[in-house]
Amino acid sequence: MAKIILRRLLQLIPTLFVVVAFTFIATRLIPGDPVAAMVGDQYDVSKVEEMRASLGLDDPIIVQFWNYLVSICQGDFGTSYYFNQPAIDMIAQRLPNTLLISVIALIIAVIFGVVFGVISARKQNSIVDYVLTVLSLFGVSAPVFWVGIMLVLLFSVTLGWLPSYGMGSIEKDGLIGFISHLVLPCFCLAIIPMGTFTRITRSST
């Protein structure tokens, strides 16, 4: 088991490297000058060149990429110039809510996916089976951002049952208010894995 886990972790390294390289290249291909955007209306050539040098943007592209990798390995993700604070602090602030939503979404996906898969297998070739199969195919193929928009339009805008944004807290909103803020994002994230678990469970049983 330990060897399998170690091998999987080692296989993850090339994937992460490709993702990091793609992100680095994509940011360099975006039109416009980020330094000029940061300077804003008070554009001054000498100031722009000074800021570009301080950010290392005048170095060769290979040197920039190497510094980028070294910074990431050291846990330095740079500074958000929009929020004017280190990016790692912003990630740390939002990570607990992200993990909470992800875990709840996974639990929902496993429970409903297994239950729907068992029902679909027991009612094989019936109307129930066909309906659940279509729903699972929809869950697997539907873009999650589109599903999120549709859920907000239906349950927040049209029906007004659930909040469309924000993260509630038990102290301010109470338990019901806190849960109501979790419903839409959790079910939105659960739809794709729910469809996958449904299809796997049906095939297995």
Side-chain angles (χ1 to χ4, degrees):
M1 179 63 70
K3 292 182 179 180
I4 296 175
I5 295 175
L6 180 60
R7 186 166 62 249
R8 293 295 184 184
L9 291 176
L10 291 176
Q11 292 174 353
L12 186 62
I13 295 176
T15 304
L16 291 175
F17 179 80
V18 171
V19 171
V20 169
F22 177 79
T23 304
F24 178 83
I25 294 172
T27 55
R28 295 305 186 274
L29 294 177
I30 296 175
D33 187 356
V35 177
M38 285 188 288
V39 173
D41 297 333
Q42 300 178 353
Y43 188 90
D44 181 79
V45 177
S46 60
K47 188 175 182 179
V48 169
E49 294 299 328
E50 179 182 352
M51 183 174 292
R52 183 175 284 109
S54 65
L55 294 174
L57 296 177
D58 55 351
D59 295 331
I61 194 70
I62 297 298
V63 176
Q64 293 184 39
F65 182 63
W66 173 254
N67 293 333
Y68 181 66
L69 285 176
V70 172
S71 298
I72 289 177
C73 292
Q74 293 175 346
D76 180 10
F77 295 96
T79 301
S80 171
Y81 293 94
Y82 183 83
F83 294 98
N84 194 29
Q85 65 179 119
I88 190 66
D89 293 343
M90 299 175 61
I91 294 174
Q93 292 172 5
R94 292 158 176 79
L95 186 60
N97 291 338
T98 302
L99 292 177
L100 176 63
I101 293 174
S102 300
V103 170
I104 294 176
L106 181 59
I107 293 173
I108 293 173
V110 171
I111 293 175
F112 283 91
V114 171
V115 170
F116 291 158
V118 171
I119 293 174
S120 183
R122 290 176 61 86
K123 303 290 185 179
Q124 189 174 3
N125 299 325
S126 65
I127 297 298
V128 175
D129 181 26
Y130 294 146
V131 171
L132 291 177
T133 299
V134 170
L135 291 177
S136 65
L137 289 173
F138 171 79
V140 171
S141 59
V144 66
F145 67 88
W146 179 82
V147 173
I149 293 173
M150 294 300 104
L151 290 176
V152 169
L153 286 176
L154 176 61
F155 293 101
S156 297
V157 178
T158 303
L159 299 176
W161 291 353
L162 298 168
S164 60
Y165 66 93
M167 187 71 180
S169 64
I170 298 178
E171 293 79 8
K172 294 181 180 180
D173 307 306
L175 181 60
I176 301 300
F178 175 70
I179 294 176
S180 67
H181 281 83
L182 293 174
V183 172
L184 285 184
C186 289
F187 271 93
C188 182
L189 288 179
I191 284 177
I192 293 179
M194 188 189 304
T196 303
F197 288 135
T198 300
R199 292 174 57 81
I200 293 175
T201 304
R202 183 189 183 281
S203 301
S204 301
T205 55

PDB file of all heavy atoms in Angstrom, residues 1 11 23 30 52 55 64 68 74 91 105 116 130 134 141 147 150 154 159-161 199 205:
ATOM      1  N   MET A   1       0.829  -1.214   0.000  1.00  0.00           N
ATOM      2  CA  MET A   1       0.000   0.000   0.000  1.00  0.00           C
ATOM      3  C   MET A   1       0.859   1.259   0.000  1.00  0.00           C
ATOM      4  O   MET A   1       0.576   2.225  -0.706  1.00  0.00           O
ATOM      5  CB  MET A   1      -0.923  -0.010   1.220  1.00  0.00           C
ATOM      6  CG  MET A   1      -1.821   1.221   1.322  1.00  0.00           C
ATOM      7  SD  MET A   1      -2.963   1.374  -0.067  1.00  0.00           S
ATOM      8  CE  MET A   1      -4.046  -0.001   0.285  1.00  0.00           C
ATOM      9  N   GLN A  11       3.847  10.222  -9.490  1.00  0.00           N
ATOM     10  CA  GLN A  11       3.177  10.477 -10.763  1.00  0.00           C
ATOM     11  C   GLN A  11       2.490  11.830 -10.781  1.00  0.00           C
ATOM     12  O   GLN A  11       2.234  12.391 -11.852  1.00  0.00           O
ATOM     13  CB  GLN A  11       2.154   9.374 -11.046  1.00  0.00           C
ATOM     14  CG  GLN A  11       2.763   8.015 -11.337  1.00  0.00           C
ATOM     15  CD  GLN A  11       1.722   6.922 -11.478  1.00  0.00           C
ATOM     16  OE1 GLN A  11       0.523   7.143 -11.228  1.00  0.00           O
ATOM     17  NE2 GLN A  11       2.152   5.728 -11.870  1.00  0.00           N
ATOM     18  N   THR A  23       0.118  27.487 -16.671  1.00  0.00           N
ATOM     19  CA  THR A  23      -0.335  28.728 -16.034  1.00  0.00           C
ATOM     20  C   THR A  23       0.642  29.864 -16.287  1.00  0.00           C
ATOM     21  O   THR A  23       0.241  30.998 -16.592  1.00  0.00           O
ATOM     22  CB  THR A  23      -0.500  28.511 -14.523  1.00  0.00           C
ATOM     23  OG1 THR A  23      -1.396  27.425 -14.290  1.00  0.00           O
ATOM     24  CG2 THR A  23      -1.029  29.756 -13.848  1.00  0.00           C
ATOM     25  N   ILE A  30      -1.362  36.687 -22.179  1.00  0.00           N
ATOM     26  CA  ILE A  30      -2.504  37.606 -22.043  1.00  0.00           C
ATOM     27  C   ILE A  30      -2.114  38.977 -22.591  1.00  0.00           C
ATOM     28  O   ILE A  30      -1.066  39.520 -22.226  1.00  0.00           O
ATOM     29  CB  ILE A  30      -2.930  37.723 -20.572  1.00  0.00           C
ATOM     30  CG1 ILE A  30      -3.434  36.373 -20.059  1.00  0.00           C
ATOM     31  CG2 ILE A  30      -4.015  38.786 -20.402  1.00  0.00           C
ATOM     32  CD1 ILE A  30      -3.772  36.374 -18.583  1.00  0.00           C
ATOM     33  N   ARG A  52       8.887  47.009 -13.180  1.00  0.00           N
ATOM     34  CA  ARG A  52       9.138  45.795 -13.957  1.00  0.00           C
ATOM     35  C   ARG A  52      10.422  45.107 -13.501  1.00  0.00           C
ATOM     36  O   ARG A  52      10.495  43.882 -13.414  1.00  0.00           O
ATOM     37  CB  ARG A  52       9.200  46.130 -15.442  1.00  0.00           C
ATOM     38  CG  ARG A  52       9.376  44.901 -16.337  1.00  0.00           C
ATOM     39  CD  ARG A  52       9.320  45.240 -17.811  1.00  0.00           C
ATOM     40  NE  ARG A  52       7.947  45.471 -18.237  1.00  0.00           N
ATOM     41  CZ  ARG A  52       7.454  46.654 -18.562  1.00  0.00           C
ATOM     42  NH1 ARG A  52       8.220  47.742 -18.502  1.00  0.00           N
ATOM     43  NH2 ARG A  52       6.201  46.776 -18.952  1.00  0.00           N
ATOM     44  N   LEU A  55       9.917  43.412 -10.116  1.00  0.00           N
ATOM     45  CA  LEU A  55       9.130  42.183 -10.227  1.00  0.00           C
ATOM     46  C   LEU A  55       9.856  41.096 -11.018  1.00  0.00           C
ATOM     47  O   LEU A  55       9.362  39.967 -11.127  1.00  0.00           O
ATOM     48  CB  LEU A  55       7.780  42.474 -10.904  1.00  0.00           C
ATOM     49  CG  LEU A  55       6.815  43.376 -10.124  1.00  0.00           C
ATOM     50  CD1 LEU A  55       5.599  43.702 -10.976  1.00  0.00           C
ATOM     51  CD2 LEU A  55       6.393  42.720  -8.825  1.00  0.00           C
ATOM     52  N   GLN A  64      12.640  33.838 -15.395  1.00  0.00           N
ATOM     53  CA  GLN A  64      11.362  34.123 -14.754  1.00  0.00           C
ATOM     54  C   GLN A  64      10.652  32.837 -14.346  1.00  0.00           C
ATOM     55  O   GLN A  64      10.093  32.741 -13.245  1.00  0.00           O
ATOM     56  CB  GLN A  64      10.468  34.924 -15.710  1.00  0.00           C
ATOM     57  CG  GLN A  64      10.968  36.323 -16.022  1.00  0.00           C
ATOM     58  CD  GLN A  64       9.990  37.081 -16.890  1.00  0.00           C
ATOM     59  OE1 GLN A  64       8.783  36.989 -16.721  1.00  0.00           O
ATOM     60  NE2 GLN A  64      10.520  37.849 -17.841  1.00  0.00           N
ATOM     61  N   TYR A  68       9.768  31.547 -10.644  1.00  0.00           N
ATOM     62  CA  TYR A  68       8.368  31.220 -10.385  1.00  0.00           C
ATOM     63  C   TYR A  68       8.256  29.858  -9.691  1.00  0.00           C
ATOM     64  O   TYR A  68       7.540  29.701  -8.688  1.00  0.00           O
ATOM     65  CB  TYR A  68       7.632  31.218 -11.729  1.00  0.00           C
ATOM     66  CG  TYR A  68       6.151  30.927 -11.678  1.00  0.00           C
ATOM     67  CD1 TYR A  68       5.262  31.807 -11.070  1.00  0.00           C
ATOM     68  CD2 TYR A  68       5.627  29.787 -12.280  1.00  0.00           C
ATOM     69  CE1 TYR A  68       3.909  31.552 -11.047  1.00  0.00           C
ATOM     70  CE2 TYR A  68       4.278  29.526 -12.265  1.00  0.00           C
ATOM     71  CZ  TYR A  68       3.420  30.407 -11.643  1.00  0.00           C
ATOM     72  OH  TYR A  68       2.074  30.143 -11.623  1.00  0.00           O
ATOM     73  N   GLN A  74       8.636  27.281  -2.255  1.00  0.00           N
ATOM     74  CA  GLN A  74       8.861  27.889  -0.946  1.00  0.00           C
ATOM     75  C   GLN A  74       7.574  28.394  -0.302  1.00  0.00           C
ATOM     76  O   GLN A  74       7.603  28.950   0.798  1.00  0.00           O
ATOM     77  CB  GLN A  74       9.851  29.048  -1.080  1.00  0.00           C
ATOM     78  CG  GLN A  74      11.258  28.608  -1.473  1.00  0.00           C
ATOM     79  CD  GLN A  74      12.190  29.772  -1.711  1.00  0.00           C
ATOM     80  OE1 GLN A  74      11.749  30.931  -1.845  1.00  0.00           O
ATOM     81  NE2 GLN A  74      13.485  29.500  -1.750  1.00  0.00           N
ATOM     82  N   ILE A  91      -5.556  32.562   0.447  1.00  0.00           N
ATOM     83  CA  ILE A  91      -5.881  31.138   0.327  1.00  0.00           C
ATOM     84  C   ILE A  91      -6.192  30.548   1.700  1.00  0.00           C
ATOM     85  O   ILE A  91      -7.154  29.781   1.862  1.00  0.00           O
ATOM     86  CB  ILE A  91      -4.717  30.386  -0.337  1.00  0.00           C
ATOM     87  CG1 ILE A  91      -4.543  30.858  -1.784  1.00  0.00           C
ATOM     88  CG2 ILE A  91      -4.957  28.878  -0.307  1.00  0.00           C
ATOM     89  CD1 ILE A  91      -3.335  30.280  -2.476  1.00  0.00           C
ATOM     90  N   ALA A 105     -20.078  18.124  -0.311  1.00  0.00           N
ATOM     91  CA  ALA A 105     -20.459  17.757  -1.676  1.00  0.00           C
ATOM     92  C   ALA A 105     -20.090  16.307  -1.973  1.00  0.00           C
ATOM     93  O   ALA A 105     -20.862  15.578  -2.612  1.00  0.00           O
ATOM     94  CB  ALA A 105     -19.776  18.689  -2.676  1.00  0.00           C
ATOM     95  N   PHE A 116     -28.980   5.838  -5.864  1.00  0.00           N
ATOM     96  CA  PHE A 116     -29.552   5.856  -7.217  1.00  0.00           C
ATOM     97  C   PHE A 116     -29.019   4.698  -8.054  1.00  0.00           C
ATOM     98  O   PHE A 116     -29.741   4.120  -8.871  1.00  0.00           O
ATOM     99  CB  PHE A 116     -29.245   7.180  -7.905  1.00  0.00           C
ATOM    100  CG  PHE A 116     -29.980   8.354  -7.313  1.00  0.00           C
ATOM    101  CD1 PHE A 116     -29.513   9.651  -7.487  1.00  0.00           C
ATOM    102  CD2 PHE A 116     -31.141   8.170  -6.588  1.00  0.00           C
ATOM    103  CE1 PHE A 116     -30.182  10.736  -6.953  1.00  0.00           C
ATOM    104  CE2 PHE A 116     -31.829   9.238  -6.035  1.00  0.00           C
ATOM    105  CZ  PHE A 116     -31.336  10.529  -6.216  1.00  0.00           C
ATOM    106  N   TYR A 130     -34.281   4.059 -16.714  1.00  0.00           N
ATOM    107  CA  TYR A 130     -34.020   4.983 -17.812  1.00  0.00           C
ATOM    108  C   TYR A 130     -33.901   6.424 -17.317  1.00  0.00           C
ATOM    109  O   TYR A 130     -33.024   7.176 -17.753  1.00  0.00           O
ATOM    110  CB  TYR A 130     -35.131   4.878 -18.864  1.00  0.00           C
ATOM    111  CG  TYR A 130     -35.173   3.540 -19.564  1.00  0.00           C
ATOM    112  CD1 TYR A 130     -36.382   2.991 -19.974  1.00  0.00           C
ATOM    113  CD2 TYR A 130     -34.003   2.824 -19.800  1.00  0.00           C
ATOM    114  CE1 TYR A 130     -36.435   1.753 -20.605  1.00  0.00           C
ATOM    115  CE2 TYR A 130     -34.049   1.589 -20.442  1.00  0.00           C
ATOM    116  CZ  TYR A 130     -35.263   1.057 -20.840  1.00  0.00           C
ATOM    117  OH  TYR A 130     -35.295  -0.162 -21.462  1.00  0.00           O
ATOM    118  N   VAL A 134     -30.503   8.669 -17.524  1.00  0.00           N
ATOM    119  CA  VAL A 134     -30.459   9.973 -18.202  1.00  0.00           C
ATOM    120  C   VAL A 134     -29.966  11.047 -17.256  1.00  0.00           C
ATOM    121  O   VAL A 134     -29.135  11.904 -17.631  1.00  0.00           O
ATOM    122  CB  VAL A 134     -31.857  10.332 -18.762  1.00  0.00           C
ATOM    123  CG1 VAL A 134     -31.870  11.777 -19.253  1.00  0.00           C
ATOM    124  CG2 VAL A 134     -32.226   9.391 -19.894  1.00  0.00           C
ATOM    125  N   SER A 141     -22.103  15.070 -17.793  1.00  0.00           N
ATOM    126  CA  SER A 141     -21.754  15.885 -18.964  1.00  0.00           C
ATOM    127  C   SER A 141     -22.063  17.371 -18.800  1.00  0.00           C
ATOM    128  O   SER A 141     -21.499  18.186 -19.543  1.00  0.00           O
ATOM    129  CB  SER A 141     -22.498  15.352 -20.194  1.00  0.00           C
ATOM    130  OG  SER A 141     -23.907  15.382 -19.977  1.00  0.00           O
ATOM    131  N   VAL A 147     -24.620  24.607 -14.506  1.00  0.00           N
ATOM    132  CA  VAL A 147     -25.505  24.065 -13.476  1.00  0.00           C
ATOM    133  C   VAL A 147     -25.636  25.057 -12.329  1.00  0.00           C
ATOM    134  O   VAL A 147     -26.732  25.289 -11.811  1.00  0.00           O
ATOM    135  CB  VAL A 147     -24.967  22.718 -12.959  1.00  0.00           C
ATOM    136  CG1 VAL A 147     -25.795  22.228 -11.765  1.00  0.00           C
ATOM    137  CG2 VAL A 147     -24.991  21.677 -14.062  1.00  0.00           C
ATOM    138  N   MET A 150     -27.936  27.906 -13.349  1.00  0.00           N
ATOM    139  CA  MET A 150     -29.333  27.471 -13.391  1.00  0.00           C
ATOM    140  C   MET A 150     -29.914  27.304 -11.980  1.00  0.00           C
ATOM    141  O   MET A 150     -31.069  27.663 -11.724  1.00  0.00           O
ATOM    142  CB  MET A 150     -29.455  26.148 -14.161  1.00  0.00           C
ATOM    143  CG  MET A 150     -29.119  26.244 -15.642  1.00  0.00           C
ATOM    144  SD  MET A 150     -30.191  27.392 -16.552  1.00  0.00           S
ATOM    145  CE  MET A 150     -29.076  28.795 -16.760  1.00  0.00           C
ATOM    146  N   LEU A 154     -33.058  29.442 -10.495  1.00  0.00           N
ATOM    147  CA  LEU A 154     -34.289  28.778 -10.057  1.00  0.00           C
ATOM    148  C   LEU A 154     -34.570  29.007  -8.576  1.00  0.00           C
ATOM    149  O   LEU A 154     -35.642  29.488  -8.197  1.00  0.00           O
ATOM    150  CB  LEU A 154     -34.196  27.274 -10.358  1.00  0.00           C
ATOM    151  CG  LEU A 154     -35.374  26.425  -9.877  1.00  0.00           C
ATOM    152  CD1 LEU A 154     -36.670  26.882 -10.538  1.00  0.00           C
ATOM    153  CD2 LEU A 154     -35.117  24.940 -10.160  1.00  0.00           C
ATOM    154  N   LEU A 159     -37.516  31.506  -7.210  1.00  0.00           N
ATOM    155  CA  LEU A 159     -38.267  31.054  -6.035  1.00  0.00           C
ATOM    156  C   LEU A 159     -37.898  31.816  -4.769  1.00  0.00           C
ATOM    157  O   LEU A 159     -38.715  31.910  -3.849  1.00  0.00           O
ATOM    158  CB  LEU A 159     -38.032  29.549  -5.817  1.00  0.00           C
ATOM    159  CG  LEU A 159     -38.481  28.631  -6.965  1.00  0.00           C
ATOM    160  CD1 LEU A 159     -38.114  27.181  -6.666  1.00  0.00           C
ATOM    161  CD2 LEU A 159     -39.977  28.773  -7.207  1.00  0.00           C
ATOM    162  N   GLY A 160     -36.682  32.330  -4.680  1.00  0.00           N
ATOM    163  CA  GLY A 160     -36.248  33.074  -3.500  1.00  0.00           C
ATOM    164  C   GLY A 160     -36.078  32.219  -2.264  1.00  0.00           C
ATOM    165  O   GLY A 160     -36.186  32.721  -1.141  1.00  0.00           O
ATOM    166  N   TRP A 161     -35.818  30.926  -2.456  1.00  0.00           N
ATOM    167  CA  TRP A 161     -35.703  30.022  -1.315  1.00  0.00           C
ATOM    168  C   TRP A 161     -34.324  30.059  -0.665  1.00  0.00           C
ATOM    169  O   TRP A 161     -34.196  29.899   0.545  1.00  0.00           O
ATOM    170  CB  TRP A 161     -36.005  28.583  -1.752  1.00  0.00           C
ATOM    171  CG  TRP A 161     -37.432  28.351  -2.111  1.00  0.00           C
ATOM    172  CD1 TRP A 161     -38.478  29.221  -1.960  1.00  0.00           C
ATOM    173  CD2 TRP A 161     -37.996  27.160  -2.691  1.00  0.00           C
ATOM    174  NE1 TRP A 161     -39.644  28.670  -2.414  1.00  0.00           N
ATOM    175  CE2 TRP A 161     -39.382  27.393  -2.867  1.00  0.00           C
ATOM    176  CE3 TRP A 161     -37.472  25.940  -3.074  1.00  0.00           C
ATOM    177  CZ2 TRP A 161     -40.234  26.441  -3.408  1.00  0.00           C
ATOM    178  CZ3 TRP A 161     -38.316  24.983  -3.613  1.00  0.00           C
ATOM    179  CH2 TRP A 161     -39.677  25.242  -3.777  1.00  0.00           C
ATOM    180  N   ARG A 199     -23.477   5.647 -12.079  1.00  0.00           N
ATOM    181  CA  ARG A 199     -23.156   4.748 -13.186  1.00  0.00           C
ATOM    182  C   ARG A 199     -22.260   3.602 -12.721  1.00  0.00           C
ATOM    183  O   ARG A 199     -22.451   2.448 -13.124  1.00  0.00           O
ATOM    184  CB  ARG A 199     -22.481   5.530 -14.311  1.00  0.00           C
ATOM    185  CG  ARG A 199     -23.426   6.515 -14.996  1.00  0.00           C
ATOM    186  CD  ARG A 199     -22.692   7.383 -16.013  1.00  0.00           C
ATOM    187  NE  ARG A 199     -22.028   6.581 -17.019  1.00  0.00           N
ATOM    188  CZ  ARG A 199     -22.644   6.053 -18.079  1.00  0.00           C
ATOM    189  NH1 ARG A 199     -23.947   6.249 -18.256  1.00  0.00           N
ATOM    190  NH2 ARG A 199     -21.970   5.338 -18.958  1.00  0.00           N
ATOM    191  N   THR A 205     -23.469  -3.538  -9.575  1.00  0.00           N
ATOM    192  CA  THR A 205     -24.503  -4.347  -8.905  1.00  0.00           C
ATOM    193  C   THR A 205     -25.456  -4.972  -9.880  1.00  0.00           C
ATOM    194  O   THR A 205     -26.278  -5.801  -9.496  1.00  0.00           O
ATOM    195  CB  THR A 205     -25.290  -3.464  -7.916  1.00  0.00           C
ATOM    196  OG1 THR A 205     -25.818  -2.334  -8.625  1.00  0.00           O
ATOM    197  CG2 THR A 205     -24.411  -2.985  -6.787  1.00  0.00           C
TER     198      THR A 205
END
